[in-house]
Amino acid sequence: MELLVDNLTVTRGGLPVLEGVTFDMRPGQVVMLRGPNGSGKTTLLRTLAGLQPPMEGSVSVEPEAIAYGAHADGLKSTLSVAENLQFWASVYGTHDIAPALAAFNLNGLTTRAAGNLSAGQKRRLGLARLLVTGREIWLLDEPTVSLDVASVGLFADAVRAHVGQGGSALIATHIDMGLEAREVDVTPFRADPNGSPRVATAFDEAFT
């Protein structure tokens, strides 16, 4: 499944932050999304994931192919590690959580409530959800936050396995994870700050 982005303009608070964004991502590829803090990487990922509309341009992708991993881990604190993964597996129509537990070294934590995990353990559990989605395209926003070096290695291995099976991953990050990847720097696409502001809609404001 390909992700094709053509002449995309994305907005934050009703104002353009990136203009003319154009790139593609094909099966088996990792693309690193680069740019300074506040440059619009998160806004771009949210737009690609279908959580907010573009101002201009197009995104060609099947929405059912996308798994989006944001800053929040998306966990239910009262459920155990295994119950959290079983919940998400049921949402996405998959069943076997064992590979996800193994990939992120969670087998020793299956019965522990998510609310009692450390920050790094929560992040590993949040990332393990990707493996039970069955989705081909991963869109990930700073996925290694709170992870130690060993856990970053686990994540990198999971990405390699995913793309090795024909998946793809677009990752906004500032660190080098040792992955073979293309880079897309959003800096050349930053909108002109002197451009004419657009009146923000209620929909835009919901995603600022």
Side-chain angles (χ1 to χ4, degrees), residues 40-52:
K41 299 186 299 295
T42 294
T43 303
L44 176 58
L45 287 173
R46 290 177 62 86
T47 304
L48 298 180
L51 298 179
Q52 64 185 75

Side-chain angles (χ1 to χ4, degrees), residues 81-140:
V81 167
E83 288 169 340
N84 266 279
L85 287 179
Q86 288 163 350
F87 169 80
W88 286 107
S90 67
V91 168
Y92 288 99
T94 59
H95 303 286
D96 188 7
I97 67 170
L101 290 169
F104 286 93
N105 195 23
L106 295 168
N107 280 317
L109 300 170
T110 55
T111 61
R112 185 176 300 183
N116 294 330
L117 299 175
S118 70
Q121 290 167 340
K122 288 178 181 177
R123 174 55 70 169
R124 278 162 38 211
L125 177 54
L127 293 172
R129 291 184 304 140
L130 294 167
L131 276 65
V132 302
T133 65
R135 299 293 177 92
E136 299 173 46
I137 298 173
W138 293 356
L139 305 180
L140 306 176

Side-chain angles (χ1 to χ4, degrees), residues 55-89:
M55 186 176 182
E56 294 180 359
S58 64
V59 179
S60 298
V61 67
E62 292 294 332
E64 294 78 14
I66 291 175
Y68 174 55
H71 293 147
D73 293 315
L75 306 178
K76 295 183 178 296
S77 62
T78 58
L79 296 183
S80 70
V81 167
E83 288 169 340
N84 266 279
L85 287 179
Q86 288 163 350
F87 169 80
W88 286 107

Side-chain angles (χ1 to χ4, degrees), residues 103-104 131 138 150-164 177 179:
F104 286 93
L131 276 65
W138 293 356
S151 297
V152 171
L154 292 176
F155 169 70
D157 288 342
V159 173
R160 289 188 189 96
H162 177 63
V163 300
M177 288 176 275
L179 294 168

Side-chain angles (χ1 to χ4, degrees), residues 30-34 104 127 138 140-145 147-160 169-183:
V30 178
V31 176
M32 295 296 185
L33 194 61
R34 306 292 195 187
F104 286 93
L127 293 172
W138 293 356
L140 306 176
D141 195 358
E142 299 293 349
T144 60
V145 171
L147 294 184
D148 58 22
V149 173
S151 297
V152 171
L154 292 176
F155 169 70
D157 288 342
V159 173
R160 289 188 189 96
L170 177 62
I171 306 173
T173 183
H174 295 286
I175 72 168
D176 180 5
M177 288 176 275
L179 294 168
E180 183 177 345
R182 291 169 43 218
E183 290 196 1

